[in-house]
Amino acid sequence: MTFPEPLDSLSSDDLAVLQQCLSEERFDPGECLFRAGEPGDSFYIIDAGTVRVQLDREELDSEGTLGFVDAGSILGELAMLDHRPRSASAIADSPVHTRRLDQAALERLSQEHPGVALAVYQALGRNAASTVRSSNERLAAAVFRYKDPDVDAMVARARIAQATFATWSEKQVDALLLALARRVATEARTLAEATVECTRIGNVDDKTGKIGVASLAVLKTLFGEPGSGWLDGGGPDTGVREIASPVGVVFGLVPVTSPVATGIFKILIALKGRNAIILSPNRIAQPVCAALARSVDDVLQAEGAPADVVQWVTKRNSRRKTQLFMSHAGVDLVLATGGRAMVEAAYSSGNPALGVGPGNAPVLVADDADVDTCADNVIRSKSFDNGLICGAENNLVVVAARREELVAALERHGAAVLSAEETAKALAGPLANGRTRMSSDLIGRSAADIAARLGIRRERTIRLVVAPSESCAPDNPLAHEKMAPLVSLFTVPDIDAGLALCKQLMQLDGTGHTAVLYTRDEALAERFGNEVAASRMLLNTPATHGIVGATTGLLPSFTLGCGTFGGNSLTDNVGYRHLLNVKRLARHDPEREAVFDYMNYVNPSAALTSQVLGFDSLEVEAEGCIVRDNRGREFLDCLAGVGVMNVGHRHPRVVAAVREQLERMPMSSRLLFNARAAELARRLADLA
């Protein structure tokens, strides 16, 4: 039996003694060798297979993989040496064969063979030092832009493919997008089934519909639109025309909550702008993303597209590799959809990034709300795909006068509104178990499943769990985002208190994402829109359907900006135009130059006053009492040339007389006598 470095430095006799203390253990893929927080009471020799080292996920869509340990390595010796809890978990990434030495066996070895035990401790110390050295090298790599050959190769291929794809016509691109959307929509149910099978969250029916929206509904917003060359922006009055060009290579994160829908959405909007895209799926979603990749590759090949214009990160994806992609000099834009940690990493990568944040949408139910419609909408929306939509309702905030009506309506439409006792029991048990966040085991589970785990029973099928709450403190799990068919219910005395509570809830989670109001009062709707920091303000509509344009006029999208409220760079529903560089061709405008010259050389103070008053155009024509400007507007001239145009502009008799005199003598010399001046003086004297 072989031993890894540095244990193989022991003598053969010492190794024979050590071998007798080791116990063989085998693990199937997905089985845990040890978990973060457990006592460090043993170490492993990896004889065959690969072990994945990862952090326990606080966020479902943040990559937790730190790295991989292969055969011929020692694992777990640090915690055994310093007797501190494990800092990360070790999961079998393939069938793994190990030999394990626990603390009790090592202590026996110390008593019976102290020399061998000392040699083992020294070997473990050398291995631990090597591990620390590697950590320092990885830290230096993060600071000094370490190069990964796989990352470099993928980005290089993407740049070559994008340069070729940039020459495609609009007709070719639209044909490709149509073929992709149709292929994915046709396979939507199969892909939805595969998604649920590998992620174990959500439900097939809703994921099928979601994939349909991400493919066909998104295609509808792209097909026939200009994705390159001249756009329709600017308008004839400005003299500016817009020209679209690709951003280049896009790196897109694909979350575990909606891997297929987000994947095809990002592919469509990237390709519409003639960009190449490298997609990095969450590790859990990699099997279904591999199926999506095969379908996409088939279409790309059939349509003659460059093979590397769409690529997928499949080999040993980790936080480190993801960071290398996001900060790579050959990546032009990062399109981040995932947990807060990954989005923050995207924005700090040094490359331009479009990211989103978590959702914690409050729903304010006003005095005049239609509570029956509200209850029906909330249940339909929050139960969709088992509550995995980031912009779905999370907190119901109802004025006290309507609380009982709302509770009755919720119960009537299939919700289980918990009693105070049921809520307290749930928080102490499976719902949170004393933590400040909802248990990750409940994420994406059905309401019926969650109710069963909480010991909640009703005579009808439970579609949504509603838990009353009072505290908006950070340590209240019910005040945070809940990616499950579960909402909190807060009661407030009046609408002012409701608005204040909505703001507080969004400060905990979901700042800038989505907020919902149920009211018939347009003045209240306007106030809600002005006061609450949300990029999507929904009125009397289900949030899940409203944020993607199914029940509103918003753009269908699976990347929803939260603005600077939530630390994002945009508030929009991201579409293909966000993945374009829009250039502007501006022509020389002599009329604008005339205004500029007037301001500088004629009368600066008067020009400034005119601009403040809105008279910032050029007068180009006048007739009678009308003056026309260079924008085609007409003005009734009450100034009349400061009183000298008392017969109007361009009066025919005046024009004829002036023309006659111009043909004789435009201006008097003032030295000789002038008959016209004398005649004018006589007539004025007669009048006076």
Side-chain angles (χ1 to χ4, degrees):
M1 182 68 71
T2 60
F3 285 82
E5 175 69 28
L7 284 173
D8 65 356
S9 61
L10 275 66
S11 69
S12 57
D13 291 339
D14 289 348
L15 290 176
V17 172
L18 175 61
Q19 177 61 34
Q20 295 176 3
C21 301
L22 299 172
S23 58
E24 292 192 18
E25 295 184 4
R26 296 179 183 271
F27 300 88
D28 292 327
E31 283 194 283
C32 185
L33 283 72
F34 55 77
R35 292 200 176 278
E38 292 180 350
D41 57 359
S42 62
F43 73 87
Y44 293 83
I45 298 171
I46 311 300
D47 289 319
T50 300
V51 177
R52 184 176 69 254
V53 180
Q54 68 180 42
L55 298 172
D56 281 356
R57 59 184 190 187
E58 291 185 0
E59 295 179 328
L60 186 65
D61 274 325
S62 285
E63 180 60 64
T65 302
L66 299 177
F68 297 85
V69 179
D70 294 314
S73 302
I74 297 174
L75 176 66
E77 80 285 356
L78 277 171
M80 189 168 179
L81 288 171
D82 65 10
H83 302 291
R84 298 180 66 182
R86 306 282 191 190
S87 59
S89 299
I91 312 293
D93 203 54
S94 66
V96 173
H97 181 198
T98 72
R99 284 172 289 165
R100 178 174 177 266
L101 181 67
D102 62 24
Q103 189 67 46
L106 186 57
E107 290 175 358
R108 287 196 304 272
L109 187 64
S110 299
Q111 295 173 359
E112 299 171 5
H113 302 278
V116 176
L118 178 60
V120 169
Y121 272 117
Q122 290 174 335
L124 294 181
R126 289 195 297 274
N127 197 76
S130 176
T131 300
V132 172
R133 187 182 298 275
S134 296
S135 298
N136 289 339
E137 290 174 353
R138 286 196 294 271
L139 177 60
V143 175
F144 298 109
R145 290 189 178 260
Y146 168 80
K147 298 290 185 180
D148 183 307
D150 290 338
V151 174
D152 289 344
M154 288 184 71
V155 174
R157 293 198 302 271
R159 297 201 73 81
I160 293 171
Q162 191 276 322
T164 301
F165 190 56
T167 65
W168 276 38
S169 69
E170 207 69 68
K171 184 177 180 181
Q172 286 176 296
V173 172
D174 279 352
L176 173 61
L177 300 184
L178 178 61
L180 284 169
R182 282 179 171 172
R183 175 68 176 266
V184 174
T186 300
E187 298 174 353
R189 188 159 194 88
T190 301
L191 291 168
E193 290 170 348
T195 301
V196 174
E197 182 179 354
C198 72
T199 65
R200 303 297 179 187
I201 56 177
N203 65 74
V204 172
D205 288 342
D206 291 340
K207 285 194 183 296
T208 301
K210 194 190 301 185
I211 294 169
V213 171
S215 53
L216 295 180
V218 169
L219 174 71
K220 186 178 179 182
T221 68
L222 307 174
F223 197 84
E225 295 294 325
S228 180
W230 296 109
L231 300 176
D232 296 329
D237 290 339
T238 65
V240 177
R241 292 196 65 186
E242 294 182 338
I243 309 166
S245 62
V247 297
V249 175
V250 177
F251 180 71
L253 297 175
V254 178
V256 67
T257 50
S258 303
V260 175
T262 305
I264 187 59
F265 161 73
K266 291 187 175 181
I267 290 170
L268 291 176
I269 65 171
L271 296 184
K272 179 62 179 179
R274 292 160 179 77
N275 302 293
I277 184 166
I278 300 172
L279 293 151
S280 178
N282 183 285
R283 178 188 56 79
I284 299 171
Q286 283 188 346
V288 69
C289 285
L292 175 61
R294 288 192 292 271
S295 296
V296 169
D297 288 345
D298 287 346
V299 175
L300 292 175
Q301 184 175 358
E303 296 294 323
D308 293 319
V309 76
V310 178
Q311 297 182 68
W312 300 79
V313 181
T314 58
K315 295 180 180 179
R316 293 192 171 192
N317 202 2
S318 64
R319 284 195 178 201
R320 180 166 173 255
K321 178 168 278 191
T322 300
Q323 184 65 51
L324 288 174
F325 271 111
M326 292 193 295
S327 60
H328 197 284
V331 168
D332 298 291
L333 179 71
V334 179
L335 195 53
T337 306
R340 187 194 300 272
M342 299 310 296
V343 172
E344 290 176 351
Y347 276 112
S348 62
S349 67
N351 277 328
L354 299 177
V356 301
N360 192 32
V363 182
L364 180 57
V365 185
D367 302 80
D368 65 337
D370 183 339
V371 294
D372 195 70
T373 297
C374 173
D376 183 38
N377 285 349
V378 169
I379 292 173
R380 284 194 298 124
S381 174
K382 189 58 172 170
S383 63
F384 185 88
D385 202 21
N386 295 352
L388 289 174
I389 308 299
C390 59
E393 299 85 347
N394 272 262
N395 310 281
L396 292 171
V397 179
V398 59
V399 294
R402 304 303 301 279
R403 185 186 191 279
E404 295 307 315
E405 291 178 72
L406 178 62
V407 168
L410 289 166
E411 293 275 1
R412 190 164 56 250
H413 286 281
V417 182
L418 307 187
S419 65
E421 294 75 20
E422 288 175 323
T423 301
K425 183 178 178 182
L427 287 171
L431 180 60
N433 198 20
R435 295 185 294 270
T436 60
R437 295 272 182 167
M438 188 185 78
S439 172
S440 60
D441 295 336
L442 302 181
I443 292 175
R445 306 295 180 185
S446 70
D449 185 19
I450 292 174
R453 295 188 186 204
L454 299 180
I456 305 300
R457 295 202 177 7
R458 297 292 188 270
E459 294 182 357
R460 63 194 175 281
T461 300
I462 297 175
R463 300 174 59 198
L464 179 70
V465 176
V466 181
S469 185
E470 296 179 359
S471 171
C472 190
D475 61 355
N476 178 15
L478 293 175
H480 290 277
E481 182 184 38
K482 300 167 280 294
M483 298 186 71
L486 167 70
V487 298
S488 57
L489 175 61
F490 293 90
T491 305
V492 292
D494 53 39
I495 204 66
D496 290 336
L499 281 166
L501 181 57
C502 287
K503 298 175 193 176
Q504 292 173 353
L505 288 166
M506 294 195 72
Q507 287 174 354
L508 288 181
D509 274 335
T511 306
H513 201 295
T514 301
V516 188
L517 171 66
Y518 281 86
T519 185
R520 299 181 178 91
D521 185 346
E522 287 297 325
L524 176 58
E526 183 174 345
R527 180 185 175 192
F528 187 75
N530 284 328
E531 293 188 17
V532 179
S535 300
R536 278 152 296 278
M537 315 292 292
L538 305 181
L539 185 62
N540 301 324
T541 192
T544 293
H545 307 76
I547 59 175
V548 296
T551 60
T552 67
L554 294 176
L555 181 73
S557 175
F558 285 78
T559 300
L560 309 176
C562 299
T564 57
F565 310 121
N568 298 171
S569 57
L570 78 169
T571 56
D572 297 348
N573 285 15
V574 173
Y576 84 94
R577 289 211 175 196
H578 294 99
L579 275 63
L580 296 174
N581 281 317
V582 179
K583 302 177 289 185
R584 289 161 183 85
L585 177 64
R587 302 178 185 279
H588 176 252
D589 187 335
E591 293 180 345
R592 289 179 182 271
E593 185 178 32
V595 172
F596 179 80
D597 288 345
Y598 193 98
M599 292 178 63
N600 284 280
Y601 304 115
V602 179
N603 193 331
S605 60
L608 179 60
T609 302
S610 294
Q611 286 196 316
V612 170
L613 295 175
F615 299 107
D616 56 350
S617 55
L618 287 176
E619 55 185 22
V620 296
E621 185 181 53
E623 184 174 12
C625 60
I626 299 298
V627 175
R628 296 182 182 87
D629 71 359
N630 60 323
R631 302 176 191 174
R633 298 181 299 178
E634 292 188 347
F635 298 85
L636 182 61
D637 186 4
C638 297
L639 297 174
V642 197
V644 301
M645 300 295 183
N646 56 335
V647 293
H649 295 278
R650 290 168 54 205
H651 191 287
R653 288 177 60 187
V654 174
V655 170
V658 170
R659 182 178 292 115
E660 179 185 358
Q661 182 63 30
L662 285 173
E663 290 175 351
R664 293 181 179 183
M665 178 183 286
M667 180 71 74
S668 171
S669 68
R670 301 281 178 172
L671 178 62
L672 302 177
F673 298 115
N674 186 285
R676 291 294 188 186
E679 181 184 1
L680 174 62
R682 176 172 55 78
R683 291 191 179 190
L684 289 174
D686 289 344
L687 289 173

